[in-house]
Each structure stands twice: as structure tokens, then as C-alpha cells.
Amino acid sequence: MKQQQELVYTDLVKAHMLMGLIDLLLVMIFGLTYSLTFLNIHIVDPYMSPVRLRFNHTNVAAYGFLANCITGALYWAVPRMTGHPVWNRAYGWLLWAALQVAGIGTVISLLFFGGTMLGGPELSRWIGPQSVEWSETPFIMDVPITLWLFVVIPQFLVPIIKASKEKPLYTGLWYITAGLVWTPMVYVLGNYPSVFFYPGAAGAALNGTFIHDLVGLYVTPMGWGLMYYFVPRVLQKPIWSHGLGLLGFWGLAFFYPAQGVHHYLWSPIPMFAQYAAVFATIAIEIVVTTVLVNFMMTLRGSYGAMKEDMALRWFYVGMINYWITCFQCSIQVLLTTQKVIHFTDWVTGHAHLIMFGTFGFWLLGMYEHIVPRMYGLKYTYSRPLSEMAFWFMLIGTEVMFVDLGVAGIAEGFAWIAQVPFIDSVNLGKPFWWVRTASGIFIFTGYIAYFYNILKTMAVGRAYQASTKVATA
Amino acid sequence: MASGGRAIHERWAFIFFLAGIGFFVTGTFIQGVLPIIVLGGTSKMKTKDQVVAEGFYKRQFPEVIQLLAMYPNLWKKYYNVPDQYFYTAPPAVQKQIIKGVAQAISDGRWIYMAEGCWQCHSQFVRPVSNEPAYYGHVSVPSEYDNTLFLPHLFGTERKGPDLIREAGKKGVEWHLAHFVNPQYTVPGSIMPRFAKFVDLKDGKPVLTPANPNDAYASLNPEPTKYGLAVITYLEWLGSWYRPRFFDEWRKEVQEEQQNPQAMQAAMTSTTPSSNSSNSNANSSNSSNTSSSNSSNTKSSTPASSGASK
């Protein structure tokens, strides 16, 4: 116990987690409010364009929720995987503060700057939202975020290097090592060349590469790297196959960076890049399956744990969602399928299942595991609340996925049939009602989750105080 | 496994440099650098003034000229554009007009970006799914090679129609009414209202009108600076690539130059069968369907719709 407290600095985990969970709350509020636009309930449009809410929905998810929660989980997992503490704790607090400033700055500038808002079109290039999907963060915020991503490397790489000198690195640390160096490069690629140098089709190629790399080279390696720590830890047994782990990692590393253009299939981007993207995307589905087989075989014989341990349930449901999304991806990336589903709601459903249904679930599961253990407890405050959160968010996410998928197919065929565009919009309206309803489901579940975590922390503090008194 | 020395693929530097940097560079080369090389890099990129000048001299801007004629005061006030017909103005004034219009298009584009129009309206026509028949000519790389597509605005989602072939499809007054309340022109539309684009003077828009025409009839809207910029941008989009429509229009111009009176007479005789701007609301559905077809018919050529103003 004492050794663990020296190794892991739980205050940083807590700080990152709390900001990440608050950001997720914001993300859901932005998303729900924006979804009302589709039902012709316009709340913000006298003051600002509602799309600014969507900017925030996606950007706060990436640079608020995911960045915070992943970093917090790294502060917990990396010292335990390597056996060495992170580089510097004071530096960690500086990084934490910088990330929050960048996050708040992003929200404010995405809501109130550029375009018809403060600064006008003249200053929009510097302080207004950019047209880089999933990184609409304005230029003034891009620079600090880029710097942050570079300076965060030593914090986690130093313990990894130390561990590497002692013995071969563990599989989870391969993902984290690669993810640490990929992320800043991805961010630079997405936010500068296509914004300032390359117009039109060339810029779109870079931009597509960025959109996909942010998923594939930041969130995915960090997510899997942490899974390689948490799943064996919860199950109390090693991963099934080291060989499959090798295959999974190197396959991901090789194929993931080469598939960005699949976001712009049938576009004016040269066809060889589109074919390469399609090939790499289908290849990665095979790689993903090997990783999934590895984790499912690890679970074999311990199915009962799924019933007992909430965290494990989040992990494995997330993994199944991950496989569904990747399988779907290998189908939807075909040029034939693209004729129907490109530009439609299908893609929105796909994105929600991977970003929330997988990585969101994993992170929520991780904190379900971490938070009680930070205080020496074994369970969260309330099991019924945990169950409620799990089922509400699961049902909400799956309903949204199926609903938007069906809506996408309907819209796609309506466009091929060349009906007036407004008819395809009217076709989508019932589906958008269901989408908002599923969003409310997710939101309700998340409120239960957040309350449960806060309560667990309160109980944990009381428990720590009582044990301190007892030992003293 | 016991010695760290043997398993080189399990040491941090190998992963950091090969998987981290090496594979990233490989992937980016295939997906980013090669397309840039094939597309010719930035060597042929035109500035916004060059693009607009080219458009004027190739006579691709009937709608922009209509806009200049409709709101001379606003153009003078916001973009310092003198109130003169471009093709008869002296070169110095032409330069001033080009500069003002290019600035308006650029402003409109930044508003289009910052307000997130591109999240629901894509800007490329695919060669599949009957899109050429619905929207217009298939997009080609060369048409995007100028600073007005930097950064690009292809978009990945359509909650509204594609806009890359938008020039001349709707008309200035349609856009104005549409910005006051999209439901005036397209009943059932989910597009938000953009009040900052329109100066309603003392009028007030009705949120969900029972009869869109009645609700709009009491208004007397004029574009604000932002509205003027956005409408100019929309009427510029695709103005360079509407071959059939453009040829027909140029033929009319040539005929007009040869025999102005006959041309005037021909235009007035076609007016009754045309969709004039105030019946746009009723016919929005049908005009949406045949947007590319209707641009071929005489009724919606800019010459006639401009004359009706």
C-alpha cells in the first residue's frame, strides 16, 4: 500500500478525471442541444449558429473529455506497468493547468469568436473556428495544444525508458510509447498544412488523414494500451497470447496511418490515395479481429467476472462495440457502399459507437475501477447506480447506432432517387426524434455515473480519514 | 525474454522510431504527400483577386453583377465598390470592383466556415449516386486550386444540399428570405435562422408561419454586411463551372450586343412562364428537384431574373 502511494500520484489522477468528467457532461449538453436543431427546436439561433454547439460537442470530447481522462488513466497505469513514477509531479500540475486553460479557451472561442461573432470575418483566420473537422479549435488555441502534446511526452516516456532498460517492454507500453509520439505529429499535420498551405483536394487529403489519425493514432493506441493493463489486472491473469499482441500492435501501427482519405471517397482526391485508404481500412479489420480474439480468449473461463465487476463489463462491451464498428467500417469503406451511405447519418452513428460506445465506455470503466482503489475501497458508492448508469448508456448508445444507421440508408437511397432534398430531410425527422430520445437516455445514465463517482470519492475521503485516526 | 538486449522489438526506441515516426511518415506520404505532388503542390494556386478577375472577364458572374446593381449603396459602404457597370467601367474602376468583390467573397467564406455551414453543406459533387444529374458537373481537382479553397470546405455530411454548384440556382431574394427564416422558402427545413445576415428594418420575422408568403410579405429585408458577403460567396460558388448554362448565357449576351431591342422583347415574352422570385416559396420543392435542369431553361437565366428587379 505504501509503495503504491509513492509510485502513483493520485491527486493528478483525480484532477484529470474530474475535469474530464465535467467535460463529458458539457459534451452531452452540447450534443443534446444541437440534436434539438434537427427537430426544428431552435434554441440558440437568435444569438449564434447552433453548429457552434456541434464544434464544441466534438472538440470538447476530443481535447476535454478524452485528453483529460486518458491522461488521468496514464498517471495511474504507466507507473504501475513500468514500476517507475512519472517524470515530475510539479510538471504534471503545470500540464494539467495548461490543458484546462486550452480547453476553456477552445470552448469560449468556438462559441463567441470569428464569423459573425466577436472579431468578425477579418480575424476569423486566427481566432475563429477552423474548417478542420474535429479540430475546429482556432489557431490561437492550436499553438498551445500542439506545444502541450509535445511537452507531455517526457512525463510518461521517462518511466517507459527506465523500464525498457531493465526488461522487454510490456505490450500495453508499446501502444502508449507509439501513441505519445504519434499524437503531436497528427495534430501538426491536421492543423497547419491544410489550413495554411494546401487548398482544395490536397488539403482534403491531409485533413482526412488528420481526422482518422486522431482516432487511430491517439485515442486507439492509448485505449488499447490501457486495456492491456486494466483487463489482466481485473481478471488477475495474463493476456492469452503474446504473439497475437505483437501482430495486433504492428498491424495497427502499419495500417492505421494509411487510411485517412477514406473520409473523402469519390472526391477529387487522386484515386490511388482512395484505393490505398480502402485497402488499409479493410486490412485493419483483420488486425482488429486478432486483438479481439486475444482479449476474448483472455476472458475465457472467467465469464462470471463480467457479472461481478462493473469495470470489466464496460471494457468488454466496449470491445464488442469496437469490433462492430470496425466490421461496419470494412463494409462502409467499399466504394460501392459509399455511393449510398456517404454524407448520411450512418456516419454519425458509426462515430458515436466508436468514440462513446468504445473509448467512452472504456474510460468510464477505468474510473469505475480506479476511483474506489484510490481510497483503498473495493467498490463504488452504489451498485444499483452503477448498474443503472451502465444499462442506460448502453441502451442509449446502441439505439442511437441502429437508428442513425437505418436513417443513413434511407437518406442515401432517397438521394439516389433524386427526390427534392427537403424530402430526404423529412425522411430523417422520425429518426432524429429517436436519436434525441437515446441521447436523453445516455445523459440520464451519465448523471447517475457522475453522481456515483462523486459519492464514492466522498465516502473514500471519510474512509481514509477514519483509517488515519485509527492508525494514529 | 529475460534479457532486454535480445528482444529489440520490445524496446522503447525501436517502437518510438519505427512504429511511431517511421510508419506515421509512410502513411502520411501515401495519403498526404503523394496526392499533393500529383496535384501539383501550391505552384499553380491563384489568389482571390486573380480568381475574381478571371470570373469577370470570362463573364461567369451574372449573379454578382446583379448583386452589385441591386445594392450599390451597401457595396459602396462596406466594400468601397463604385456604382458602375463592370464591363463599361474604366480599368481602374474595374480593379476596384474586383478587389471589393474578392473581399466580399473572402469574408463570406470565413463566415461560412466560422458559423459551420460546411458541417451540413458539402462542397463536392461525386460522379456517382446520380449526383451530376442533381447538382451539376462532377467536381475536378483543378477547380479548387485557389486561395478561396484554402482551407478546403469539402465537408463530410449533408443535412442540406451540396453547394458547390450553387451559383444562379436560387437568386438573391430567395437567399434573403431563406436567411430570415428557412421555412419561408423551404417548408419543413431544419436550417437555423441567420438573423445577422439580414437587416429587417422595423419588421419582425414570424417563427413558424401558417402561410410563409404572408409572413414574408410584410418584411422589407436588405442584407447586412455579413449577409451581402455570404450571398456573394454563395453566388460565386460554382460560377466557373456550369458549361451548358454559361454557353447559353454568353449566346444571349452576344445577341444582345448585336440587337438590344429584339433581346428585350424576347425576354419580356418569356416572363409569364417563368418562376419569378415571389413564387419561389411555393415552387421550392419543384425547383429543388430540377435545379440542374431548370438552369438550362430560359426562365431562370440571370438576365431575366435580373431584369425583373
Side-chain angles (χ1 to χ4, degrees):
Chain A
M1 189 74 191
K2 193 162 183 227
Q3 189 199 358
Q4 171 204 329
Q5 269 174 356
E6 276 171 9
L7 198 60
V8 179
Y9 187 41
T10 50
D11 281 1
L12 270 172
V13 182
K14 267 181 241 168
H16 273 291
M17 176 197 73
L18 276 178
M19 284 314 289
L21 294 184
I22 290 168
D23 283 334
L24 185 57
L25 195 69
L26 279 180
V27 170
M28 289 184 178
I29 292 169
F30 283 130
L32 263 181
T33 320
Y34 182 63
S35 83
L36 295 180
T37 306
F38 291 78
L39 316 175
N40 255 327
I41 302 168
H42 297 286
I43 298 171
V44 297
D45 78 347
Y47 316 105
M48 64 175 75
S49 165
V51 190
R52 285 170 179 271
L53 303 179
R54 195 194 157 179
F55 291 161
N56 272 299
H57 178 65
T58 53
N59 281 274
V60 179
Y63 309 116
F65 165 58
L66 290 173
N68 265 314
C69 281
I70 286 175
T71 314
L74 287 180
Y75 273 115
W76 178 265
V78 168
R80 284 154 161 257
M81 278 196 274
T82 56
H84 296 278
V86 293
W87 186 42
N88 191 324
R89 284 177 184 181
Y91 188 60
W93 281 112
L94 190 71
L95 288 174
W96 177 85
L99 185 62
Q100 307 324 319
V101 169
I104 293 163
T106 300
V107 173
I108 291 173
S109 49
L110 287 182
L111 283 177
F112 302 115
F113 286 88
T116 60
M117 310 292 277
L118 297 173
E122 295 82 8
L123 291 178
S124 208
R125 178 191 286 272
W126 309 111
I127 60 171
Q130 295 175 331
S131 67
V132 182
E133 190 162 7
W134 218 25
S135 184
E136 287 89 354
T137 42
F139 176 78
I140 44 161
M141 282 296 137
D142 282 344
V143 177
I145 291 177
T146 310
L147 282 176
W148 190 88
L149 291 171
F150 274 106
V151 298
V152 83
I153 294 178
Q155 185 77 327
F156 300 110
L157 199 61
V158 166
I160 289 175
I161 292 172
K162 278 183 194 159
S164 181
K165 282 180 183 153
E166 292 161 6
K167 57 185 181 194
L169 279 184
Y170 175 57
T171 320
L173 292 171
W174 309 342
Y175 283 95
I176 291 166
T177 310
L180 281 175
V181 58
W182 277 330
T183 315
M185 292 197 296
V186 167
Y187 201 83
V188 169
L189 172 78
N191 283 277
Y192 307 106
S194 71
V195 175
F196 293 101
F197 303 112
Y198 299 108
L206 289 171
N207 197 339
T209 310
F210 164 76
I211 301 173
H212 204 81
D213 282 0
L214 194 61
V215 189
L217 301 183
Y218 173 49
V219 185
T220 305
M222 294 301 181
W224 279 116
L226 291 166
M227 275 301 102
Y228 269 101
Y229 167 74
F230 281 101
V231 168
R233 177 73 185 70
V234 172
L235 286 174
Q236 301 287 351
K237 61 179 178 184
I239 283 285
W240 184 59
S241 161
H242 187 71
L244 277 183
L246 268 172
L247 187 64
F249 172 74
W250 289 99
L252 180 137
F254 186 73
F255 287 116
Y256 237 127
Q259 47 178 286
V261 173
H262 71 198
H263 287 254
Y264 296 104
L265 292 178
W266 292 117
S267 77
I269 297 169
M271 276 321 274
F272 73 83
Q274 300 189 26
Y275 290 137
V278 171
F279 173 77
T281 312
I282 294 169
I284 200 119
E285 164 61 18
I286 297 161
V287 175
V288 161
T289 306
T290 66
V291 179
L292 254 292
V293 166
N294 202 359
F295 273 88
M296 288 301 161
M297 293 308 281
T298 309
L299 182 67
R300 197 171 67 158
S302 317
Y303 298 117
M306 287 277 277
K307 224 162 110 188
E308 312 265 306
D309 196 293
M310 286 307 297
L312 199 69
R313 212 189 289 176
W314 284 113
F315 296 159
Y316 273 89
V317 168
M319 276 180 219
I320 290 164
N321 281 345
Y322 186 82
W323 192 82
I324 292 172
T325 327
C326 289
F327 181 66
Q328 184 198 25
C329 189
S330 68
I331 293 169
Q332 81 184 37
V333 79
L334 299 174
L335 286 163
T336 313
T337 327
Q338 280 289 309
K339 290 178 190 174
V340 182
I341 57 99
H342 195 53
F343 292 129
T344 68
D345 272 326
W346 171 292
V347 185
T348 317
H350 174 77
H352 278 93
L353 195 69
I354 191 72
M355 290 324 295
F356 187 68
T358 302
F359 299 112
F361 278 19
W362 284 358
L363 289 167
L364 296 182
M366 283 174 207
Y367 286 107
E368 190 101 20
H369 172 87
I370 291 173
V371 171
R373 278 160 186 80
M374 277 195 297
Y375 299 97
L377 299 170
K378 222 177 161 199
Y379 301 107
T380 51
Y381 163 71
S382 158
R383 176 75 185 210
L385 271 180
S386 284
E387 291 275 353
M388 177 191 158
F390 174 79
W391 287 107
F392 267 69
M393 283 194 258
L394 179 65
I395 291 169
T397 312
E398 304 300 333
V399 166
M400 184 185 287
F401 170 69
V402 174
D403 170 64
L404 290 178
V406 177
I409 294 170
E411 284 166 7
F413 279 111
W415 294 341
I416 291 176
Q418 300 197 64
V419 299
F421 198 92
I422 187 66
D423 286 3
S424 75
V425 173
N426 288 330
L427 197 64
K429 280 176 185 170
F431 296 102
W432 295 334
W433 278 101
V434 176
R435 185 251 301 268
T436 302
S438 65
I440 292 169
F441 245 73
I442 295 176
F443 189 66
T444 316
Y446 182 65
I447 295 288
Y449 178 91
F450 199 15
Y451 178 74
N452 194 21
I453 289 289
L454 291 179
K455 268 299 202 188
T456 311
M457 289 175 77
V459 171
R461 266 198 301 274
Y463 172 74
Q464 269 188 341
S466 68
T467 48
K468 236 177 224 164
V469 171
T471 48
Chain B
M1 291 287 276
S3 87
R6 244 180 251 160
I8 184 171
H9 59 277
E10 289 169 5
R11 291 208 316 215
W12 79 273
F14 190 75
I15 293 161
F16 190 91
F17 290 108
L18 182 62
I21 294 173
F23 286 179
F24 178 83
V25 171
T26 314
T28 309
F29 182 74
I30 298 167
Q31 295 288 280
V33 178
L34 267 183
I36 289 172
I37 295 169
V38 168
L39 293 168
T42 55
S43 55
K44 283 177 274 179
M45 187 162 66
K46 293 180 206 137
T47 65
K48 61 177 193 281
D49 285 7
Q50 281 171 335
V51 172
V52 172
E54 196 185 310
F56 269 117
Y57 290 128
K58 286 187 178 170
R59 293 193 175 252
Q60 290 170 343
F61 284 171
E63 297 85 12
V64 172
I65 287 175
Q66 182 195 353
L67 257 171
L68 288 165
M70 278 174 87
Y71 304 110
N73 298 337
L74 300 181
W75 279 103
K76 180 84 199 149
K77 189 167 139 199
Y78 297 133
Y79 292 105
N80 196 22
V81 174
D83 182 15
Q84 285 193 46
Y85 184 55
F86 180 84
Y87 295 107
T88 55
V93 177
Q94 283 190 344
K95 212 171 233 174
Q96 211 176 338
I97 295 176
I98 287 168
K99 222 176 150 207
V101 169
Q103 189 55 44
I105 292 173
S106 170
D107 279 6
R109 205 181 88 85
W110 284 105
I111 293 168
Y112 184 97
M113 276 170 53
E115 301 304 323
C117 309
W118 56 279
Q119 298 243 342
C120 293
H121 295 282
S122 60
Q123 283 194 10
F124 67 98
V125 178
R126 302 184 296 162
V128 292
S129 307
N130 294 333
E131 282 186 19
Y134 192 89
Y135 291 112
H137 200 283
V138 172
S139 297
V140 295
S142 59
E143 63 180 302
Y144 295 100
D145 203 6
N146 60 60
T147 49
L148 286 170
F149 283 101
L150 176 68
H152 80 98
L153 292 167
F154 278 9
T156 52
E157 195 176 351
R158 273 183 197 153
K159 288 288 159 290
D162 188 277
L163 293 180
I164 194 66
R165 303 281 175 250
E166 187 61 16
K169 276 187 185 170
K170 294 297 197 289
V172 174
E173 289 176 321
W174 187 95
H175 282 300
L176 268 183
H178 190 241
F179 285 137
V180 178
N181 186 341
Q183 305 220 17
Y184 289 161
T185 54
V186 188
S189 168
I190 56 163
M191 190 171 125
R193 295 157 287 171
F194 284 92
K196 282 183 180 172
F197 293 172
V198 188
D199 180 8
L200 286 173
K201 304 195 182 92
D202 47 356
K204 270 202 176 137
V206 183
L207 298 189
T208 43
N211 184 341
N213 281 329
D214 289 352
Y216 189 64
S218 60
L219 301 176
N220 184 21
E222 209 172 58
T224 58
K225 183 185 179 185
Y226 294 154
L228 192 66
V230 168
I231 292 173
T232 315
Y233 175 61
L234 290 174
E235 295 292 13
W236 168 77
L237 272 181
S239 61
W240 58 87
Y241 214 149
R242 40 183 174 185
R244 288 192 295 174
F245 170 63
F246 169 56
D247 287 350
E248 199 167 279
W249 184 76
R250 188 152 70 174
K251 215 169 77 195
E252 279 177 21
V253 171
Q254 281 166 353
E255 283 170 18
E256 190 176 14
Q257 283 165 347
Q258 284 156 10
N259 189 352
Q261 284 84 14
M263 193 64 208
Q264 282 290 335
M267 271 160 55
T268 42
S269 69
T270 56
T271 317
S273 64
S274 71
N275 297 337
S276 61
S277 54
N278 56 2
S279 68
N280 258 338
N282 296 333
S283 62
S284 63
N285 278 0
S286 61
S287 68
N288 258 342
T289 355
S290 56
S291 47
S292 65
N293 298 337
S294 72
S295 61
N296 299 326
T297 61
K298 220 165 201 167
S299 60
S300 64
T301 53
S304 66
S305 60
S308 70
K309 183 63 199 169

